[in-house]
Amino acid sequence: MLLAFVGLGWLCARQLAIDPRPIATLLIYIVAPLTFFRGLTLGGPTPGYLLLTLGLFATASLIAIAVGRLARPVFPAQEAAVLAFSAGTGNTGYFGLPIAMVLLPAEGVTQYLFCLLGITLYEFTVGFYLSARGQFSVRQSLVKILRLPLIYAFLAALLVSGLGLTVPAAVMGGLDVFPSTYTLLGMMIIGMTLGRVSIREFDMRFIGACVVVRYGLWPLLAGVAVLALQATLGISAELALALLLVGVVPMAANVVVVAMELAIRPEKGAIAVLLTTLAAPLLIPLYLAGLLRLTGLQ
């Protein structure tokens, strides 16, 4: 179904000449913060869950910073910025969450959601900053981050949960539409961007780097992290599978959303995102089977 949304976006760009940039702005400043707020307040954050969020946020940030430094001497500034952003994230929401809901029990899905929130928080803080540095100064990049409402949605959700406040049922009911909207518009933006791409934008070197990070580095790190946590903390099988799933999802659609908002080569990101998403139905079962055997979960 996600690929159908991509196709719908491609048709909109080709036949209706719809500009995806205002949609990217809408996602970043309205839809994503409200989706994030809803997820946190429904999940009932505990110290353990927030530790998962912090851990994934720190991991994503460190990977992105490291890849960004390695990419700068090799790629032009804007492409290096897109590659750095994409290195720290994956399609944990649009693509990974439906899989998590099939494979995991309720407790495991909640744990996966808080891992997802850590990745999302990275995207709209450190990731956004690294992307903005592709064409803005440090001060301009920090100003752009401080304008992002998702940071304040995160703090508001923690405040609501910490004070034991109850969000009115009517408000929560109204927020129910935003996760689906987030998925639909996020995937359509990929198609809209592809509808404006020419064959000259097909850069095998850039795509190869994205694939190596997403389908090489992340699965390796996920497997090592689970083995280390099993040996030290003795984590549950549900949490182990949630962490492995984070490591094997395709590239994030938000790579295109953020690149579109900052005007830093979104077409490059769109091609890489589409190719990794097309490969995901074949690669995810293979990766999960191998990692489950490696970690003793199968």
Side-chain angles (χ1 to χ4, degrees), residues 136-158:
F136 299 104
S137 68
V138 172
R139 182 179 180 280
Q140 289 172 320
S141 300
L142 290 174
V143 168
K144 284 184 173 293
I145 288 178
L146 292 175
R147 290 175 51 207
L148 292 176
L150 189 135
I151 298 172
Y152 307 107
F154 178 76
L155 295 175
L158 291 183

Side-chain angles (χ1 to χ4, degrees), residues 5 11 29 54 83 91 100 116 135 142 148 163 208 243-244 249 256-257 264-265 283 297:
F5 295 155
L11 282 174
Y29 290 97
L54 178 62
L83 180 58
N91 204 336
L116 184 161
Q135 85 174 34
L142 290 174
L148 292 176
L163 295 177
L243 292 173
L244 293 178
V249 294
V256 184
V257 173
I264 50 169
R265 307 307 295 274
L283 292 180
L297 296 173

Side-chain angles (χ1 to χ4, degrees), residues 64-91:
I65 292 170
V67 169
R69 289 188 175 180
L70 292 173
R72 280 190 212 108
V74 181
F75 294 95
Q78 292 189 356
E79 291 179 19
V82 175
L83 180 58
F85 176 85
S86 71
T89 186
N91 204 336

Side-chain angles (χ1 to χ4, degrees), residues 10-23:
W10 183 86
L11 282 174
C12 288
R14 285 288 187 176
Q15 302 300 321
L16 303 177
I18 294 177
D19 185 355
R21 285 173 295 182
I23 299 175

Side-chain angles (χ1 to χ4, degrees), residues 57-68:
F57 169 78
T59 300
S61 300
L62 290 173
I63 291 173
I65 292 170
V67 169

Side-chain angles (χ1 to χ4, degrees), residues 30-297:
I30 302 295
V31 179
L34 292 175
T35 302
F36 199 83
F37 176 82
R38 175 185 176 276
L40 266 177
T41 52
L42 284 178
T46 65
Y49 289 159
L50 291 176
L51 194 59
L52 287 176
T53 299
L54 178 62
L56 267 295
F57 169 78
T59 300
S61 300
L62 290 173
I63 291 173
I65 292 170
V67 169
R69 289 188 175 180
L70 292 173
R72 280 190 212 108
V74 181
F75 294 95
Q78 292 189 356
E79 291 179 19
V82 175
L83 180 58
F85 176 85
S86 71
T89 186
N91 204 336
T92 50
Y94 312 138
F95 203 100
L97 185 56
I99 298 175
M101 295 177 72
V102 171
L103 296 180
L104 293 168
E107 174 68 13
V109 172
T110 300
Q111 291 170 332
Y112 179 84
L113 278 171
F114 277 89
C115 292
L116 184 161
L117 291 174
I119 298 292
T120 306
L121 189 60
Y122 151 78
E123 290 177 344
F124 293 102
T125 52
V126 175
F128 197 91
Y129 172 80
L130 293 174
S131 299
R133 287 290 290 125
Q135 85 174 34
F136 299 104
S137 68
V138 172
R139 182 179 180 280
Q140 289 172 320
S141 300
L142 290 174
V143 168
K144 284 184 173 293
I145 288 178
L146 292 175
R147 290 175 51 207
L148 292 176
L150 189 135
I151 298 172
Y152 307 107
F154 178 76
L155 295 175
L158 291 183
L159 183 64
V160 166
S161 298
L163 295 177
L165 303 177
T166 301
V167 180
V171 173
M172 294 304 295
L175 294 177
D176 286 344
V177 303
F178 284 95
S180 299
T181 304
Y182 187 56
T183 300
L184 173 64
L185 294 181
M187 298 308 290
M188 282 186 67
I189 278 181
I190 297 175
M192 290 179 191
T193 306
L194 288 170
R196 299 147 61 102
V197 169
S198 68
I199 192 67
R200 291 172 301 180
E201 306 295 345
F202 199 89
D203 184 343
M204 283 305 301
R205 188 177 63 153
F206 178 81
I207 293 170
C210 291
V211 171
V212 166
V213 172
R214 187 60 249 175
Y215 282 141
L217 179 60
W218 268 96
L220 176 63
L221 288 177
V224 170
V226 168
L227 287 172
L229 290 170
Q230 287 174 328
T232 54
L233 301 178
I235 60 172
S236 67
E238 292 81 9
L239 177 55
L241 181 53
L243 292 173
L244 293 178
L245 185 55
V246 169
V248 300
V249 294
M251 283 178 63
N254 281 343
V255 171
V256 184
V257 173
V258 171
M260 183 73 66
E261 173 66 15
L262 296 173
I264 50 169
R265 307 307 295 274
E267 65 284 347
K268 295 266 186 177
I271 295 171
V273 170
L274 179 65
L275 292 177
T276 58
T277 302
L278 289 172
L282 296 175
L283 292 180
I284 287 179
L286 293 175
Y287 271 118
L288 280 182
L291 288 170
L292 288 173
R293 283 195 295 270
L294 176 67
T295 55
L297 296 173

